[in-house]
Amino acid sequence: MPSMNDLVRQHTALGDSDLEWLHLLVSEWQLLSDLSFADLVLWVPTRDGTRYVSVAQMRPNTGPTSYQDDMVGHLVPRGRRPLLDAALDEGRIVREGDPEWREEVPVRVESIPVRREGRVLGVIARNTNLLTVRTPSRLELTYLQSASDLAQMIAAGSFPFPGQQVDMDASPRVGDGLLRLDADGIVQYASPNALSAYHRLGLAADLVGHHLGRATAELAPSRGPVDEALAKVASGWAPREFEIEGGDGVIQLRAIPLKPKGPRIGSLVLLRDVTELRRRERELITKDATIREIHHRVKNNLQTVAALLRLQARRIDSATGREALEEAVRRVGSIAIVHETLSQNLDERVEFDEIADRVLAMVAEISPGKVTGRRTGRFGILDAEVATPLSMVLTEILQNALEHGFREGDTGTVEVSAVRGGTTKDARLLITVQDDGVGLPEDFDPHRSGNLGLQIVRTLVEGELGGTFDMVRAPERGTRVLLDVPVRGDK
């Protein structure tokens, strides 16, 4: 289905600023549809003025639809729908005419001009399914009156409000709770859901007849100047969204001033009880903070262990024992780097490129000569259960390359290369570590070597990571280590 941008640019003469106004309108018109119990279709005249193109459609959440089919992209010639012509030419809301019959369903059709800066950009066709019409309740009458006020504001170009882009997924909707205020901020009508939300905040009385701003300020925990600002905002004097917390509840409110004929005659306040949503958010924040604190403490403990091993190494006279302890320090340090990174994240995933660079720099400190380390390619984002063993594997391989591939005074290079490949369901991380050192002995078998570092690598790669490991002679000089590890598909 073509987008509104595509349809407007292909068929109409509207500019970018006009298109932006239509987007702003469409972001708001679920409100008009629900208050009207009606379908909305936005029609825009074509570039040559001979036809209309439907660029957007909305169905109500509060009543049956009038359109079973999708209308977006339809073209109709001028003259076929006289109400569209009248609304476009005269710039007024047109309600004349008998109901239309569509598949044995009577539909009342109205046309609302969409005005911006004195120009009519298009027409909203409001279609109400009359099959279930009954004597309206007080709630329905309030809805319809509010819809009429908003329609007049659209026709006058005063709604939607410029600069007030609404997130429809987060903002309160009509069915969540609705209050109708007069020009002084006195509640004229409160829907049952709205009243229940205020009772959860601690309101003991009815809202109708009370000043909403003052009642809301009294329920909020703060006092002083903040109350005055809250009372003013809750009175609906300007388009605003805000939250208040009091008693056992949290409610989100959205104030919409009503100005159908210019001056403000009152306001709509949509509200939503978000108590449970905020409680879950706080639980998640607390859980995230706890996880980060655990990783931070693990990192600190590992650094303490590394420091103790380093102190012990200095007290050992045996060069072999000292070297073994220094290797252990680097192994512990590589794990600490992962936990330090995890302590700064909101999830159990890390950007491994930074970890690889830090491991490369840490291991390079043991280089017997002037050996340069570098990384090419991207490891990308990895889960913690992959990042921790992989950091140890990388530490062992680099440590082995520097210790056994180069002698005192040698110069050379160790390069770490990473490539993500495979499909989303079978993603792979291909890692190559290559040096230009002395290379492997002729009879060397990495899968049978008793070297502790290589034993660690084999165990972690094949056992914990479920990958493959190989070590071969480089084509020209030195050693090449190849790792193939399964990872999650996202990068």
Side-chain angles (χ1 to χ4, degrees):
M1 183 175 67
S3 68
M4 185 165 73
N5 284 359
D6 295 336
L7 291 169
V8 169
R9 287 170 178 155
Q10 178 182 355
H11 296 286
T12 79
L14 298 182
D16 290 342
S17 58
D18 294 331
L19 178 57
E20 186 62 32
W21 182 262
L22 295 184
H23 275 292
L24 190 60
L25 172 66
V26 168
S27 74
E28 292 273 28
W29 72 342
Q30 181 73 64
L31 172 63
L32 178 63
S33 178
D34 290 345
L35 290 172
S36 304
F37 307 98
D39 291 77
L40 306 178
V41 179
L42 177 57
W43 296 93
V44 180
T46 56
R47 191 174 287 106
D48 59 8
T50 62
R51 295 180 296 174
Y52 297 96
V53 58
S54 57
V55 298
Q57 179 178 2
M58 178 59 65
R59 293 182 173 91
N61 294 316
T62 51
T65 183
S66 303
Y67 285 111
Q68 298 300 325
D69 299 327
D70 198 330
M71 295 297 296
V72 175
H74 282 216
L75 289 160
V76 298
R78 185 178 171 88
R80 179 176 294 180
R81 301 194 177 183
L83 297 187
L84 293 182
D85 298 339
L88 182 69
D89 297 339
E90 301 172 25
R92 64 179 180 89
I93 299 175
V94 182
R95 297 189 175 94
E96 297 88 354
D98 296 327
E100 297 180 2
W101 287 83
R102 299 176 188 163
E103 299 179 357
E104 299 184 354
V105 175
V107 176
R108 182 175 62 241
V109 181
E110 304 166 87
S111 294
I112 305 167
V114 177
R115 191 182 303 274
R116 174 179 179 265
E117 296 180 351
R119 295 182 300 113
V120 177
L121 306 182
V123 179
I124 295 175
R126 181 163 56 178
N127 303 270
T128 307
N129 186 324
L130 300 178
L131 197 61
T132 58
V133 169
R134 62 185 187 279
T135 302
S137 65
R138 177 73 189 281
L139 180 144
E140 291 168 330
L141 289 172
T142 303
Y143 278 20
L144 292 171
Q145 180 58 54
S146 302
S148 176
D149 293 336
L150 286 177
Q152 291 182 62
M153 291 170 65
I154 292 173
S158 56
F159 187 83
F161 304 111
Q164 292 288 323
Q165 188 77 34
V166 176
D167 182 358
M168 292 306 299
D169 292 331
S171 291
R173 298 198 177 195
V174 170
D176 295 328
L178 178 142
L179 302 171
R180 173 91 185 204
L181 314 182
D182 66 13
D184 296 323
I186 305 299
V187 179
Q188 296 178 313
Y189 175 79
S191 72
N193 284 346
L195 195 57
S196 296
Y198 264 84
H199 284 165
R200 191 164 187 176
L201 288 180
L203 181 72
D206 193 358
L207 271 175
V208 176
H210 291 80
H211 190 279
L212 182 66
R214 288 194 288 269
T216 303
E218 289 172 1
L219 296 171
S222 59
R223 293 291 179 266
V226 176
D227 282 357
E228 297 178 9
L230 179 60
K232 192 172 183 180
V233 170
S235 299
W237 66 279
R240 292 285 186 276
E241 286 196 33
F242 58 99
E243 279 188 14
I244 64 167
E245 181 174 357
D248 296 325
V250 182
I251 62 173
Q252 180 184 15
L253 298 97
R254 181 188 177 202
I256 304 170
L258 297 176
K259 305 175 181 179
K261 297 181 180 179
R264 185 171 68 88
I265 63 167
S267 306
L268 275 184
V269 177
L270 305 180
L271 58 93
R272 176 186 176 198
D273 186 341
V274 293
T275 306
E276 294 305 314
L277 178 63
R278 296 296 176 259
R279 182 184 62 80
R280 289 195 297 270
E281 287 177 352
R282 291 187 186 113
E283 288 179 353
L284 288 174
I285 291 171
T286 301
K287 188 179 294 185
D288 289 338
T290 302
I291 292 172
R292 288 199 299 270
E293 179 62 22
I294 290 172
H295 284 303
H296 182 70
R297 293 189 181 187
V298 170
K299 183 262 297 184
N300 287 345
N301 290 338
L302 289 172
Q303 289 180 336
T304 301
V305 171
L308 292 174
L309 291 173
R310 198 175 290 112
L311 286 172
Q312 189 66 39
R314 293 172 183 168
R315 295 174 178 269
I316 294 180
D317 296 330
S318 167
T320 303
R322 188 164 53 252
E323 182 178 335
L325 286 176
E326 289 172 350
E327 287 181 358
V329 167
R330 286 187 287 275
R331 289 168 184 145
V332 171
S334 66
I335 301 174
I337 290 173
V338 176
H339 283 282
E340 181 180 5
T341 305
L342 288 169
S343 71
Q344 300 168 2
N345 292 345
L346 293 177
D347 55 17
E348 291 291 286
R349 312 197 70 204
V350 295
E351 176 63 64
F352 197 80
D353 294 322
E354 178 185 352
I355 294 174
D357 292 340
R358 292 179 63 179
V359 168
L360 193 59
M362 178 182 68
V363 176
E365 294 174 0
I366 68 170
S367 170
K370 296 181 179 180
V371 180
T372 302
R374 67 168 179 261
R375 173 181 60 85
T376 60
R378 288 192 68 249
F379 287 86
I381 298 174
L382 300 178
D383 292 331
E385 57 263 30
V386 174
T388 302
L390 186 58
S391 68
M392 284 196 65
V393 167
L394 199 56
T395 299
E396 297 299 333
I397 293 173
L398 290 170
Q399 188 169 274
N400 189 75
L402 292 170
E403 287 184 354
H404 302 290
F406 300 94
R407 300 183 180 86
E408 191 70 35
D410 285 353
T411 60
T413 302
V414 178
E415 180 175 326
V416 178
S417 173
V419 177
R420 299 285 284 256
T423 63
T424 302
K425 293 184 179 179
D426 184 27
R428 316 290 297 183
L429 177 60
L430 307 177
I431 305 168
T432 304
V433 181
Q434 183 166 323
D435 65 70
D436 54 3
V438 297
L440 298 172
E442 291 291 339
D443 57 348
F444 182 79
D445 184 353
H447 299 286
R448 296 185 179 181
S449 171
N451 179 287
L452 176 60
L454 292 183
Q455 289 181 15
I456 292 174
V457 170
R458 288 198 301 269
T459 300
L460 292 177
V461 173
E462 297 172 0
E464 191 161 342
L465 294 175
T468 61
F469 156 74
D470 200 9
M471 179 181 286
V472 298
R473 279 180 166 272
E476 297 181 1
R477 178 182 175 179
T479 303
R480 176 181 290 174
V481 179
L482 304 171
L483 304 174
D484 184 350
V485 178
V487 292
R488 278 173 55 172
D490 49 338
K491 301 180 181 179

